[in-house]
Amino acid sequence: MAYSLSNGILQVDIADIGEYSGTRFDWTGFITGVTLVQGQHTFGVPESLVPGQGSGGMGFCNEFGISRAIGYEEAAAGEWFPKPGVGLLQKQDDGPYDFFGSYPLIPFTVEEERSAQAVIYRVQPMECRGYSMLLTKKITLDGDRLNISYTLENKGGKPLHTEEYIHNFVGIDGANAGPDYELRIPAGLKVEAPESSYTAELLAASGNTLTWKEEPGRPFYCKLTGWEKGEAGCFWELQHKPGGAVVRESGDFAASRMALWGEKHVISPEVFVDISILPRHSKHWSRSYQFFTL
């Protein structure tokens, strides 16, 4: 059964290992929802509201290697490659890696420690063609903050080159995307490389604020720039103006890129961290989410 962390300010709902069984998102710390107790404001929503559609993402779930799958390019069809937080995936053909695809899977073994306000996951190494890693993830509550820390240790003989991000499937109080939301970053915000003219027409950026001209009728996606000149400590914050509820993400790393995806019921700012680890070395990084009302 899924379980919750709670400190009287936040309630964080987390799926059990294997409850999400896809090959895209990290199985550990799969956060299905967050509730700000005062006001009962909710923040996490499913990727898709249609059962059986989408990749099964929900709430605040992370992924490694969406564009740099470890060991995929050098693997032959039929060979295996590691997906951190998931397991060994089997390459099916000579085509490029498809993060939305489904691959045969050997899941990693996960050790888990739970308490009322913290959970620690240790994803055990499994050797695969010279690649091997130990992933430790710790989720804690501190007042109105949800903190997620990661340590990835390279236990193999080959370097690890990949990236990690949290998809952030946000829908505050179940309200659809639209003019009632504002997305802010610390510096001048620009919409870059919109995937369609629809996205370009839908979004409006002014200063450090992005708004929606209308409720979306289809998915939208773009890259965000301008954040590179912002001060460290806050990547973005999203406010639903009618209820005054806000979620803000920060971290202890330099973002390598930012993107924005969404559709009618969901807004997903995405902040990527670059990961390059030599054998016998490790990398640590952390993210913090603050939930509050204005």
Side-chain angles (χ1 to χ4, degrees):
M1 295 290 292
Y3 63 103
S4 298
L5 302 180
S6 179
N7 63 356
I9 299 173
L10 297 177
Q11 176 180 310
V12 177
D13 301 318
I14 305 176
D16 281 329
I17 299 295
E19 188 172 334
Y20 166 81
S21 58
T23 56
R24 179 177 180 182
F25 296 112
D26 187 341
W27 288 20
T28 68
F30 191 94
I31 297 169
T32 58
V34 176
T35 301
L36 181 62
V37 175
Q38 185 173 8
Q40 288 296 299
H41 296 288
T42 59
F43 294 86
V45 296
E47 173 190 344
S48 174
L49 298 178
V50 181
Q53 292 191 8
S55 60
M58 175 180 286
F60 300 81
C61 55
N62 71 302
E63 177 182 10
F64 288 87
I66 186 173
S67 63
R68 283 183 291 165
I70 297 171
Y72 181 86
E73 291 187 359
E74 68 203 55
E79 291 187 325
W80 299 81
F81 63 98
K83 178 90 165 179
V86 181
L88 303 186
L89 280 58
Q90 188 178 42
K91 185 172 181 176
Q92 297 299 287
D93 51 44
D94 292 329
Y97 173 69
D98 179 9
F99 66 88
F100 207 75
S102 180
Y103 292 85
L105 169 67
I106 303 173
F108 288 135
T109 299
V110 181
E111 297 177 356
E112 183 178 358
E113 297 178 18
R114 299 182 183 180
S115 65
Q117 296 182 31
V119 60
I120 301 173
Y121 302 93
R122 294 181 180 87
V123 185
Q124 297 303 304
M126 186 182 296
E127 202 283 331
C128 177
R129 299 177 22 254
Y131 295 105
S132 181
M133 65 209 74
L134 170 65
L135 172 64
T136 303
K137 182 192 290 186
K138 183 177 182 179
I139 300 175
T140 58
L141 301 183
D142 181 11
D144 62 359
R145 290 182 179 272
L146 163 65
N147 300 317
I148 307 173
S149 68
Y150 310 75
T151 301
L152 188 62
E153 301 177 52
N154 188 346
K155 299 291 189 179
K158 295 181 179 179
L160 303 176
H161 298 294
T162 188
E163 74 276 289
E164 185 268 350
Y165 74 104
I166 294 185
H167 207 304
N168 300 319
F169 294 106
V170 180
I172 299 177
D173 295 332
N176 285 342
D180 285 340
Y181 282 94
E182 285 186 353
L183 177 68
R184 293 185 290 269
I185 64 173
L189 176 63
K190 293 183 180 180
V191 173
E192 296 285 347
E195 70 170 354
S196 66
S197 59
Y198 176 80
T199 295
E201 292 291 332
L202 175 69
L203 303 175
S206 177
N208 69 339
T209 302
L210 183 146
T211 56
W212 287 255
K213 297 178 182 178
E214 61 185 13
E215 185 176 290
R218 51 179 280 194
F220 56 90
Y221 177 82
C222 65
K223 296 179 181 179
L224 299 177
T225 61
W227 49 268
E228 301 92 339
K229 299 178 182 179
E231 295 182 0
C234 176
F235 294 133
W236 59 269
E237 68 175 35
L238 182 69
Q239 178 190 357
H240 183 238
K241 293 183 289 184
V246 180
V247 53
R248 174 186 294 160
E249 181 185 358
S250 56
D252 65 354
F253 58 91
S256 60
R257 69 182 190 273
M258 288 182 63
L260 176 68
W261 176 88
E263 54 177 301
K264 182 176 181 179
H265 74 287
V266 58
I267 297 170
S268 295
E270 302 168 353
V271 182
F272 289 78
V273 57
D274 185 70
I275 298 171
S276 290
I277 311 173
L278 294 173
R280 299 179 299 282
H281 288 69
S282 64
K283 180 179 178 66
H284 174 82
W285 69 102
S286 64
R287 300 175 184 269
S288 180
Y289 292 87
Q290 186 177 13
F291 301 87
F292 57 96
T293 56
L294 297 177

